[in-house]
Amino acid sequence: MTEPSKVIHVRNVGHEISENDLLQLFQPFGVITKLVMLRAKNQALLQMQDVSSAVNALQFYANVQPSIRGRNVYVQFSSHQELTTMDQNSQGRGDEPNRILLVTIHQMLYPITVEVLNQVFSPHGFVEKIVTFQKSAGFQALIQYQSRQSAVVARSALQGRNIYDGCCQLDIQFSNLDELQVNYNNERSRDFTNPNLPTEQKGRPSQPGYGDAGSMYVQASGAREVVFPQMANAAAIAAAFGGGLPPGISGTNDRCTVLVSNLNTDRIDEDKLFNLFSIYGNIVRIKLLRNKPDHALIQMGDGFQAELAVHFLKGAMLFGKRMEVNFSKYPSITQGADTHEYMNSNLNRFNRNAAKNYRYCCSPTKMIHLSTLPQDVTEEEILNLLEEHGTIVNSKLFEMNGKKQALVQFENEEQATEALVCKHATSLSGSIIRISFSQLQTI
């Protein structure tokens, strides 16, 4: 084996695997200081804060096969002792520099237009022309800069980055073309040096099957963008689950309201139901039924989110009762004095980072993940907060991107569910904490 190093070499990193997926795999073992995605080689280099953290990670994964989205990945110490700027810029294919870039977009959850591409690539130099098209490799674009140097800089800065948070990943290589021929200025092609070209009669969209993602996006640092999506159809969302919907999910349901029964009437309320069901989608409103106190109606943001909630929560244990979760015969809940409104709640998890939140949907587990913790929080404070809900088997406090997070493992799923339902969105030393189920099997 290579000499221990704080740099870990990861192989078999497919295009469906994101930076966040790799961070999730290693963050329980310590602070991650650098991550380089070598997309052309299906590899990644990841630097821990110290050698002992990297040793702990590799010792653990020597006995447990690491897997991301159904794909086994393979880890070993890197021959590098430290990641340098040169390493971080070595993500290209090494082909001949040219002013025209060939861009392939992976995990394309949202439509990509000429305008979006121009926003992403123009900060690195004057973009003369853009042509987009659909190929067997996926959605692609040719982007012609005024100078070769601009193309080199853009490729170095953007290779492997996401246009939107968690998706639409850029895979960039140099084209062997000398000049792009653009005949029309429209959403699929544009000649920025000739604004007088015709738009042509609008034909079928170049990206069938994606629909309108209804997204509002704002430019953030560099080419990263933060997206606030309302995903339009399950076909697009499927990419968040690694290319296909989870077994048992049809993606065709259009009923937004679910009926929950066999609730513990002494301990349940609308906010606790919100904390649990908001893991699977945005909540519009909730109503506890007066004539059936152990029943509740929950209106989700759309039919797909409702289907996820029914699928993952049917039969889950909460407060000593096994919940029944089914689709309601009512398409929506009428607003009234006995309904609780959540449509505009900033606690709805899917207002942003929707793709990432879909990816983390699962049935209740024994392990919960806590984030947005106070920076000076101690492990003892976290245990004191949660221990009333059950037997804590293991716990780990760690730092990720400069922010404190924690994993807490309970004896069973019901105890973890109770802790999440009761303590998500509560205040700890002035911070509103966020709790989700973790799919890690052990700490």
Side-chain angles (χ1 to χ4, degrees), residues 79-183:
S79 57
H80 299 266
Q81 289 297 313
E82 185 94 22
L83 285 182
T84 64
T85 304
M86 183 177 295
D87 297 323
Q88 296 181 65
N89 289 335
S90 67
Q91 303 174 39
R93 286 182 166 79
D95 41 1
E96 186 66 30
N98 183 18
R99 67 177 181 141
I100 299 177
L101 299 175
L102 173 62
V103 181
T104 305
I105 298 177
H106 302 286
Q107 293 178 272
M108 200 172 87
L109 299 195
Y110 312 111
I112 300 299
T113 63
V114 164
E115 286 79 8
V116 171
L117 290 168
N118 190 46
Q119 277 194 4
V120 172
F121 283 86
S122 61
H124 304 285
F126 179 67
V127 175
E128 292 184 336
K129 300 174 182 179
I130 299 177
V131 176
T132 66
F133 46 93
Q134 194 79 34
K135 289 284 189 180
S136 58
F139 181 80
Q140 295 185 311
L142 287 163
I143 297 173
Q144 178 175 314
Y145 277 99
Q146 191 172 48
S147 72
R148 186 175 68 174
Q149 181 58 32
S150 295
V152 171
V153 170
R155 184 183 187 233
S156 175
L158 299 176
Q159 169 66 12
R161 302 287 292 272
N162 295 333
I163 295 180
Y164 295 116
D165 190 28
C167 64
C168 299
Q169 187 177 61
L170 297 168
D171 187 3
I172 307 171
Q173 55 187 302
F174 294 111
S175 168
N176 56 11
L177 297 175
D178 295 322
E179 182 77 29
L180 290 185
Q181 180 68 39
V182 176
N183 298 318

Side-chain angles (χ1 to χ4, degrees), residues 200-230:
E200 81 168 328
Q201 184 176 357
K202 190 176 178 63
R204 67 176 180 85
S206 59
Q207 302 157 50
Y210 283 91
D212 179 13
S215 302
M216 296 291 292
Y217 55 87
V218 293
Q219 186 72 32
S221 61
R224 291 190 184 275
E225 309 216 358
V226 182
V227 70
F228 303 89
Q230 293 298 318

Side-chain angles (χ1 to χ4, degrees), residues 186-355:
N186 53 35
E187 64 181 16
R188 297 183 299 281
S189 62
R190 186 73 51 86
D191 184 343
F192 294 97
T193 67
N194 185 3
N196 299 319
L197 286 175
T199 60
E200 81 168 328
Q201 184 176 357
K202 190 176 178 63
R204 67 176 180 85
S206 59
Q207 302 157 50
Y210 283 91
D212 179 13
S215 302
M216 296 291 292
Y217 55 87
V218 293
Q219 186 72 32
S221 61
R224 291 190 184 275
E225 309 216 358
V226 182
V227 70
F228 303 89
Q230 293 298 318
M231 289 189 171
N233 57 54
I237 301 165
F241 293 100
L245 296 176
I249 298 289
S250 71
T252 59
N253 173 64
D254 58 2
R255 293 168 289 180
C256 299
T257 305
V258 299
L259 176 67
V260 190
S261 58
N262 201 35
L263 295 167
N264 185 328
T265 56
D266 294 327
R267 301 194 61 186
I268 202 67
D269 60 38
E270 290 88 347
D271 286 346
K272 290 185 174 72
L273 286 171
F274 172 87
N275 288 347
L276 181 58
F277 279 79
S278 62
I279 292 172
Y280 307 100
N282 284 342
I283 307 298
V284 177
R285 61 181 59 94
I286 297 177
K287 179 179 181 178
L288 291 174
L289 303 187
R290 290 180 180 176
N291 58 337
K292 295 180 179 178
D294 68 336
H295 285 55
L297 288 170
I298 301 174
Q299 184 177 336
M300 308 288 290
D302 59 37
F304 183 76
Q305 295 176 352
E307 187 175 12
L308 289 175
V310 170
H311 176 77
F312 286 119
L313 290 178
K314 186 184 284 288
M317 294 292 296
L318 179 62
F319 299 133
K321 296 273 196 174
R322 190 172 297 281
M323 292 191 301
E324 279 299 319
V325 186
N326 295 289
F327 296 110
S328 170
K329 63 182 179 181
Y330 300 104
S332 61
I333 303 172
T334 304
Q335 191 172 353
D338 54 351
T339 61
H340 279 228
E341 300 299 311
Y342 295 97
M343 180 183 287
N344 297 317
S345 172
N346 58 8
L347 296 175
N348 268 317
R349 302 173 188 244
F350 288 72
N351 287 334
R352 59 184 302 171
N353 290 335

